[in-house]
Amino acid sequence: MALQGGFLEHLVALRTIGVVAREVRLPNDLNDIDGLIIPGGESTTISQMMDLYELRKPISDFAKKGSPIWGTCAGIIMLSMNNSNENPETLSLIDINIKRNAYGRQSESFIADLDSSIFSDQKFQGVFIRAPIIARVGKDIEVLSWLKDESPVAVRQGSILGTTFHPELTDDYRYHKYFLTFFE
Ligand code: GLN
């Protein structure tokens, strides 16, 4: 989804691993694609632009068909349950609650080695930029990666994937490749 934020890095990552990927801006763009990534950026802006371009219902319908959606950082905020006045209006597509900017300001951004249930080899380097915290995880949520203190930072519910960090900002494409398994 190319409304705002880091969509270019996701396009590069996808193309590097051989995926035909393009920018999605308008409802019609959803008609002939198999999956969607909502990138990081600023969720309040992304939310407003989703209204402006009337994307909310088309994205919900896309998810209802079972089409995979992955949100990174602001993207996971957009996928989370709509439960807090501090958050922009979200899509409520994954049963988690989010606390925005919960690690502090931009200068408190950090990189951390993540443990993951889906990768058996080396740790995944998580790039956290003014990231949200996953404050509640519903009972149908699979936790895929977590920090040293065991707090979840990557979650899945069926065909919906959310990461609070930015795999597209590293050249480790294991998460992008993992997302491709949703289409098998
Ligand atoms: N702080 C941003 C927000 O609340 C998210 C930051 C990001 O996507 N890297 O929307």
Side-chain angles (χ1 to χ4, degrees):
M1 205 175 72
L3 298 178
Q4 191 262 344
F7 54 88
L8 209 58
E9 291 80 359
H10 276 297
L11 280 173
V12 169
L14 289 171
R15 287 172 183 159
T16 304
I17 60 170
V19 176
V20 178
R22 61 176 170 76
E23 297 173 11
V24 169
R25 288 198 177 83
L26 297 172
N28 274 349
D29 296 334
L30 291 166
N31 291 344
D32 52 357
I33 58 170
D34 300 314
L36 180 70
I37 296 179
I38 304 180
E42 189 53 50
S43 52
T44 48
T45 309
I46 293 175
S47 181
Q48 282 168 11
M49 292 185 80
M50 267 188 193
D51 288 330
L52 196 66
Y53 292 107
E54 299 180 345
L55 275 163
R56 237 174 248 282
K57 182 159 188 311
I59 292 175
S60 293
D61 292 345
F62 187 76
K64 269 185 217 134
K65 281 194 316 198
S67 304
I69 304 182
W70 174 15
T72 53
C73 204
I76 194 178
I77 298 172
M78 289 308 302
L79 295 174
S80 70
M81 302 311 283
N82 217 352
N83 77 320
S84 151
N85 295 336
E86 291 157 52
N87 287 1
E89 192 187 340
T90 62
L91 295 160
S92 300
L93 291 175
I94 185 166
D95 188 20
I96 57 169
N97 289 347
I98 283 287
K99 193 163 166 27
R100 289 178 64 211
N101 303 329
Y103 298 104
R105 305 160 66 97
Q106 191 86 5
S107 55
E108 263 101 42
S109 298
F110 61 98
I111 295 178
D113 284 336
L114 307 177
D115 286 310
S116 304
S117 58
I118 47 175
F119 309 126
S120 53
D121 38 5
Q122 82 264 37
K123 295 194 183 215
F124 198 94
Q125 204 175 62
V127 178
F128 294 83
I129 304 172
R130 218 149 72 86
I133 279 178
I134 299 175
R136 183 194 63 87
V137 164
K139 66 173 178 21
D140 296 327
I141 298 290
E142 196 185 338
V143 174
L144 307 176
S145 294
W146 53 92
L147 288 167
K148 227 185 359 231
D149 67 1
E150 296 190 356
S151 53
V153 290
V155 287
R156 174 179 184 171
Q157 183 175 14
S159 58
I160 309 290
L161 172 65
T163 56
T164 62
F165 52 98
H166 290 268
E168 78 285 5
L169 295 182
T170 68
D171 51 14
D172 183 347
Y173 295 133
R174 281 178 292 167
Y175 256 102
H176 288 82
K177 288 182 183 156
Y178 173 69
F179 187 50
L180 296 190
T181 66
F182 287 34
F183 301 85
E184 281 164 7

